[in-house]
Amino acid sequence: MKYLVVSGLTVVTLFIYILWHHPKAELSVAEFLEQHWRYPLEAQGTPPETLNVLEASLAPESCGVCHTEQYRLWSESHHSHTMGSGILWQLQMMDAKHSRECLKCHAPLTEQFALLAQERGWSRTSDKPPDYIPMDLHLKGLVCAACHLRQHQRFGPPASKTEVNREIHGGFIEHKAFSDSLFCATCHQFPEDGPRLNGKLREDTYNQWRVSRYGEEGKECQSCHMPQLRHEWKGIHDEQMTRSAMSVVIETLPESEDGLRVLARVTNSGAGHHLPTYLVPELELLLELVSPIGSVRELARHTLAWRADLALAREAFDQRLPAGESVTLDGLATQQDGVVRLRVKVSPRHQYLVTFIDYLQNNRKNLNPTTRKLLVQAIQEARAAEYEFIAAEYPLAGIAN
């Protein structure tokens, strides 16, 4: 079959070009995302002359000159730290192929991998990148351009304000995909042939959401993690976000003349996925009795986690709490005064922490100074991320009276 050629483009390719670049072109969410996240992402290329220096730059700081609130929230979020010490020490020991797989989500721009390749000596060129590519772009994590820029064309969700200047940056393309959970699934859902543990995908958040009440009701990931399009992406690292994921009901039943049976039902009522959703975090639920003088006695405990060996080859247990489901802690209080409470200890990077500590202990002498320093820093940051809070309190009769 022959195609009519128009200015070097076949009719077919011309149609695809118009469909992709025309602001009014309508692609389905799946079609849009298939193109938007096609790896490796195509390099942005030389900026159009119509763009000024700030508009042409891939640096998130440049975007922040005008988009001040979005930049502030992004810079405080974990998306801006996806290239932190926890992955950097591992990249020190990886080859180009495995590093590219990690950067697919941690720093997905082709320009970011090119900078890492130069740094690691994988690249054949040592030329300084053009001015619109900052030398430290690969250390900036999931930058603005990773989601919003393709060949210097801007993309984003439908604007909520009619007064938005749609000619800025030479125009931008709006698409509802930016408000769809599938957008997040790009990194927060492994494909069916992805790595598994005991038959379960190690990253399965989108599928968990899809079968939850939130998925059935069409309440997208962004509604909780990007409320009002705020670039926050709060999750297990944030105490308030974790609090909002669970509801707790404590009750007592007479057990004997000298004791009370204490029940604490914990429900995953606020997360549209398992609590926690994947392998890394751990939540320790502690049912405790606090006496009138402040002494604490543990009545029961339960771990919410998906625990595996350090090689992630064998499952120890899977006690994650699916959306909408509950677990009950059951204990016996031998005194009938004081306060019963449910205390929650959260280790957002638990699997990383135990893995990193083990690796450091067994390989300290074999690590170069840079790698060892990054690994120690990663351990310190994992410990610093831990926190705890009181999820519920229940006064016993002695206090109530």
Side-chain angles (χ1 to χ4, degrees):
M1 180 181 292
K2 295 182 179 180
Y3 297 107
L4 173 64
V5 177
V6 182
S7 301
L9 294 174
T10 66
V11 171
V12 174
T13 55
L14 179 62
F15 172 76
I16 293 174
Y17 179 87
I18 293 173
L19 189 65
W20 179 241
H21 288 276
H22 198 284
K24 295 182 180 179
E26 280 298 326
L27 294 170
S28 71
V29 169
E31 290 170 336
F32 177 87
L33 293 175
E34 182 182 0
Q35 295 190 20
H36 198 69
W37 292 116
R38 183 173 294 159
Y39 290 101
L41 299 182
E42 186 177 345
Q44 302 296 330
T46 303
E49 294 181 357
T50 54
L51 299 181
N52 61 39
V53 173
L54 282 177
E55 291 176 304
S57 174
L58 301 185
E61 296 86 354
S62 297
C63 302
V65 172
C66 295
H67 302 282
T68 53
E69 182 66 1
Q70 290 91 335
Y71 174 74
R72 181 186 69 81
L73 292 172
W74 168 84
S75 64
E76 296 171 355
S77 77
H78 285 277
H79 278 187
S80 69
H81 295 95
T82 56
M83 288 295 285
S85 59
I87 187 174
L88 288 177
W89 80 264
Q90 297 177 73
L91 290 173
Q92 291 282 319
M93 299 178 292
M94 289 186 189
D95 58 17
K97 178 182 178 181
H98 290 93
S99 295
R100 184 182 285 276
E101 279 298 306
C102 292
L103 263 63
K104 182 177 178 180
C105 285
H106 285 259
L109 293 178
T110 292
E111 291 84 355
Q112 292 178 299
F113 179 77
L115 288 166
L116 179 67
Q118 274 195 349
E119 184 179 283
R120 295 298 310 280
W122 301 328
S123 176
R124 295 181 180 179
T125 177
S126 58
D127 295 343
K128 183 179 181 296
D131 291 341
Y132 69 90
I133 304 176
M135 290 293 294
D136 62 349
L137 184 66
H138 60 305
L139 302 177
K140 297 291 186 177
L142 192 61
V143 295
C144 314
C147 291
H148 295 289
L149 205 64
R150 297 293 182 270
Q151 289 76 65
H152 292 284
Q153 172 69 62
R154 269 65 178 176
F155 294 83
S160 58
K161 298 180 180 178
T162 57
E163 67 269 18
V164 169
N165 182 358
R166 285 172 169 76
E167 300 305 315
I168 196 169
H169 305 312
F172 67 90
I173 295 177
E174 301 176 343
H175 203 283
K176 59 186 179 181
F178 283 84
S179 301
D180 194 288
S181 294
L182 267 176
F183 197 97
C184 309
T186 303
C187 286
H188 294 281
Q189 176 65 50
F190 284 163
E192 284 302 306
D193 60 352
R196 292 176 178 266
L197 175 64
N198 197 21
K200 293 168 282 192
L201 286 169
R202 296 207 314 238
E203 177 60 84
D204 200 35
T205 304
Y206 175 78
N207 282 339
Q208 295 167 15
W209 166 83
R210 188 171 51 82
V211 299
S212 75
R213 174 173 60 88
Y214 294 93
E216 293 173 354
E217 296 173 355
K219 187 174 182 179
E220 310 293 339
C221 305
Q222 292 88 335
S223 62
C224 290
H225 298 284
M226 290 186 71
Q228 290 80 52
L229 299 181
R230 291 170 61 84
H231 288 49
E232 296 176 332
W233 305 288
K234 290 181 179 179
I236 193 68
H237 285 78
D238 183 76
E239 178 183 326
Q240 189 55 45
M241 196 70 173
T242 305
R243 281 179 178 273
S244 68
M246 61 175 66
S247 56
V248 183
V249 175
I250 299 176
E251 61 178 339
T252 60
L253 300 172
E255 185 69 18
S256 66
E257 293 183 0
D258 300 320
L260 291 172
R261 186 180 180 191
V262 181
L263 303 175
R265 186 172 70 255
V266 181
T267 304
N268 177 358
S269 57
H273 46 70
H274 293 359
L275 182 65
T277 180
Y278 69 128
L279 269 166
V280 177
E282 179 174 289
L283 295 86
E284 195 76 28
L285 309 179
L286 302 168
L287 183 61
E288 299 174 328
L289 174 63
V290 183
S291 74
I293 61 172
S295 61
V296 178
R297 186 168 70 87
E298 182 179 306
L299 304 180
R301 71 165 57 200
H302 182 79
T303 301
L304 297 181
W306 186 15
R307 192 173 291 175
D309 63 358
L310 297 182
L312 303 184
R314 295 184 179 181
E315 176 184 279
F317 61 77
D318 186 354
Q319 294 181 173
R320 293 173 293 171
L321 195 57
E325 295 191 12
S326 303
V327 63
T328 299
L329 283 74
D330 188 339
L332 181 65
T334 56
Q335 61 188 70
Q336 299 189 24
D337 58 356
V339 175
V340 172
R341 70 185 186 188
L342 186 81
R343 183 163 59 99
V344 182
K345 297 173 63 177
V346 185
S347 179
R349 308 180 191 181
H350 177 79
Q351 184 70 29
Y352 293 151
L353 180 60
V354 295
T355 303
F356 293 175
I357 291 174
D358 180 80
Y359 195 90
L360 181 62
Q361 290 174 343
N362 291 296
N363 298 276
R364 181 184 294 271
K365 295 181 179 179
N366 300 323
L367 298 175
N368 65 52
T370 298
T371 305
R372 185 168 59 250
K373 180 179 179 181
L374 287 169
L375 177 52
V376 170
Q377 182 180 342
I379 293 171
Q380 293 171 343
E381 291 173 352
R383 284 174 170 156
E386 297 176 341
Y387 61 92
E388 64 178 67
F389 60 89
I390 306 301
E393 292 184 316
Y394 183 92
L396 297 182
I399 293 296
N401 295 328

